[in-house]
Amino acid sequence: MKDENIPVTSETLGSYLGTSGDSIRRDIGCLIPKEGKGHYEKRPLAEEIAQAFGFEEPLKICLVGLGILGQYMLQTMDQWDHAKIVLLFDTKINRLERLDQSIPAFPAWEIPEILPSRGIKTAVLATEAEEAEKNASRLFSGGVKYLLNLTGYYLRSPHGGIRIKNINLLSELLCLKATLQNQRKE
Amino acid sequence: MKDENIPVTSETLGSYLGTSGDSIRRDIGCLIPKEGKGHYEKRPLAEEIAQAFGFEEPLKICLVGLGILGQYMLQTMDQWDHAKIVLLFDTKINRLERLDQSIPAFPAWEIPEILPSRGIKTAVLATEAEEAEKNASRLFSGGVKYLLNLTGYYLRSPHGGIRIKNINLLSELLCLKATLQNQRKE
DNA sequence: TAGTGTGAACCGTTTCACAGCC
DNA sequence: GGCTGTGAAACGGTTCACACTA
């Protein structure tokens, strides 16, 4: 890879992220111990940000739920450097058997037994909505600290040390419609 | 269905949504023309909210991209009352042929030709990231006003009349890790 | 008395404005 | 001159406090 110390402006970065140059500068100012006063350069900046957030080595992730959505996560993350799925669970054993994966896979009720020894902090929950609550608490008691919940069932964090991101793909559509419809009211 | 004029408190509603009763009351106050001063009741309240947002009849949705993620959307929305997928597109013709669907399906390059006559305002984009930009502009010129973009490629709205919700399932994981890591720094 | 509706205070974020630096 | 870094103002959303009502 060639030397990528090419300059980037905060404004350009902002445009990639859908925000302003002002905000970018503020955020970078918080993250990076401010010594360099010069202009931003692509590679060193990226490295400093990655370091500030702890992105140097890939995240090890546990995936629960091997339905169609779980398979999608498995597939797309395969081509991704920043995180790797290293452990699989599902409630349906036949799904696990059908799998020709190099990634170890177990029935979901074995989470409490298997997870703790692996030191995995991050999980993706992609089961049916009905199984969300139960599997989430299994994960938390197994040591998971960050949960990406794709089930559509809204989960609340049991305490401050655990972060949950709830994503409900269906309701996003209604939100979109609602916001646009509402802004017309003016 | 039995009569559901049962009372609900703002606090209870808030707990379902991960917010406070105060906020719920504020929001309801904005949405509903405030005449009833009494306590909230489940069904009438739900109906008034649905009406305020225009949720009475199901959203008609167009789905672009029939990969694994698109198939997931197709599958889950099938069991959902609030929105229905009524039109499909994909760039790969063999995917379209393999489909035994009652929903009409066309190659993506025919969007500009087919979409306008259908009066569809809402679309889900679930193609490869590389095809996001091109298909999005096809959709917009075909009359789409709300776009749920699941490709992972960040799209910006061409103007105020169009709303885009970008969801990047992969990067959500990094965000989660970053926020938790950061709050430790205190 | 429990719960709503709403001004007023509060707080985190974004934008503005501008001084300093390359 | 263009860009960064950062106080100060502006903004939007949340919380507080409390009068009002069923």
Side-chain angles (χ1 to χ4, degrees), chain B residues 1 8 17 19 29 32 35 42 44 55 62 68 77 85 88 101 117 131 139 144-145 157 170 181:
Chain B
M1 190 181 299
V8 209
L17 281 107
T19 184
I32 295 169
E35 37 183 299
K42 189 172 171 183
F55 290 163
C62 156
I68 187 164
M77 291 186 55
I85 293 176
L88 298 170
Q101 277 284 338
S117 63
E131 301 170 0
L139 289 168
V144 161
K145 293 283 187 291
S157 171
L170 296 190
Q181 159 139 347

Side-chain angles (χ1 to χ4, degrees), chain B residues 3 14 35 182:
Chain B
D3 194 21
E35 37 183 299
N182 227 36

Side-chain angles (χ1 to χ4, degrees), chain A residues 23-89:
Chain A
S23 293
I24 295 289
R25 294 205 300 283
R26 271 250 133 76
D27 292 352
I28 289 179
C30 289
L31 280 180
I32 294 170
K34 74 167 172 86
E35 35 181 302
K37 294 111 188 308
H39 294 189
Y40 300 145
E41 290 173 14
K42 190 173 170 184
R43 174 156 297 268
L45 182 60
E47 273 163 12
E48 282 175 301
I49 292 172
Q51 190 181 359
F53 283 136
F55 291 163
E56 303 98 332
E57 76 268 26
L59 258 187
K60 287 192 292 181
I61 290 175
C62 157
L63 172 63
V64 184
L66 294 170
I68 187 164
L69 186 54
Q71 286 169 41
Y72 167 77
M73 292 303 281
L74 205 52
Q75 176 185 296
T76 53
M77 291 188 54
D78 200 46
Q79 312 151 25
W80 206 45
D81 292 332
H82 296 291
K84 293 294 169 197
I85 292 177
V86 296
L87 196 54
L88 299 171
F89 293 101

Side-chain angles (χ1 to χ4, degrees), chain A:
Chain A
M1 192 180 297
K2 64 166 185 271
D3 193 22
E4 298 195 31
N5 283 29
I6 56 180
V8 210
T9 72
S10 55
E11 208 59 51
T12 314
L13 291 173
S15 80
Y16 292 145
L17 281 110
T19 183
S20 71
D22 289 282
S23 293
I24 295 289
R25 294 205 300 283
R26 271 250 133 76
D27 292 352
I28 289 179
C30 289
L31 280 180
I32 294 170
K34 74 167 172 86
E35 35 181 302
K37 294 111 188 308
H39 294 189
Y40 300 145
E41 290 173 14
K42 190 173 170 184
R43 174 156 297 268
L45 182 60
E47 273 163 12
E48 282 175 301
I49 292 172
Q51 190 181 359
F53 283 136
F55 291 163
E56 303 98 332
E57 76 268 26
L59 258 187
K60 287 192 292 181
I61 290 175
C62 157
L63 172 63
V64 184
L66 294 170
I68 187 164
L69 186 54
Q71 286 169 41
Y72 167 77
M73 292 303 281
L74 205 52
Q75 176 185 296
T76 53
M77 291 188 54
D78 200 46
Q79 312 151 25
W80 206 45
D81 292 332
H82 296 291
K84 293 294 169 197
I85 292 177
V86 296
L87 196 54
L88 299 171
F89 293 101
D90 199 300
T91 39
K92 300 204 178 68
I93 298 186
N94 55 352
R95 265 198 201 139
L96 296 171
E97 284 168 347
R98 228 184 300 126
L99 221 63
D100 59 331
Q101 277 283 338
S102 51
I103 303 171
F106 303 93
W109 57 83
E110 292 184 8
I111 291 176
E113 189 180 332
I114 291 174
L115 196 55
S117 63
R118 310 285 178 124
I120 294 173
K121 296 277 193 304
T122 313
V124 174
L125 192 57
T127 64
E128 299 295 310
E130 296 76 31
E131 300 169 0
E133 194 92 58
K134 161 160 284 184
N135 284 309
S137 47
R138 283 170 175 161
L139 289 167
F140 297 144
S141 61
V144 161
K145 294 283 186 294
Y146 335 87
L147 179 63
L148 179 60
N149 170 28
L150 306 179
T151 61
Y153 179 93
Y154 192 93
L155 290 171
R156 227 165 328 294
S157 170
H159 64 267
I162 289 178
R163 275 199 79 87
I164 300 175
K165 174 72 181 192
N166 293 289
I167 293 189
N168 185 329
L169 293 176
L170 297 189
S171 70
E172 291 295 346
L173 282 165
L174 295 185
C175 291
L176 268 180
K177 190 189 178 203
T179 52
L180 192 48
Q181 159 138 348
N182 228 36
Q183 83 192 19
R184 281 223 200 82
K185 292 251 172 87
E186 293 160 21

Side-chain angles (χ1 to χ4, degrees), chain B residues 68-86:
Chain B
I68 187 164
L69 186 54
Q71 286 169 40
Y72 168 78
M73 292 302 283
L74 206 51
Q75 177 187 296
T76 53
M77 291 186 55
D78 199 47
Q79 311 152 24
W80 205 45
D81 291 333
H82 297 291
K84 291 295 170 198
I85 293 176
V86 297

Side-chain angles (χ1 to χ4, degrees), chain B residues 136-171:
Chain B
S137 48
R138 282 170 176 159
L139 289 168
F140 297 144
S141 62
V144 161
K145 293 283 187 291
Y146 336 86
L147 180 63
L148 178 60
N149 171 28
L150 306 179
T151 62
Y153 177 94
Y154 192 95
L155 291 170
R156 226 164 327 296
S157 171
H159 63 267
I162 289 178
R163 275 199 80 86
I164 300 175
K165 174 72 181 192
N166 293 290
I167 293 190
N168 186 330
L169 294 177
L170 296 190
S171 70

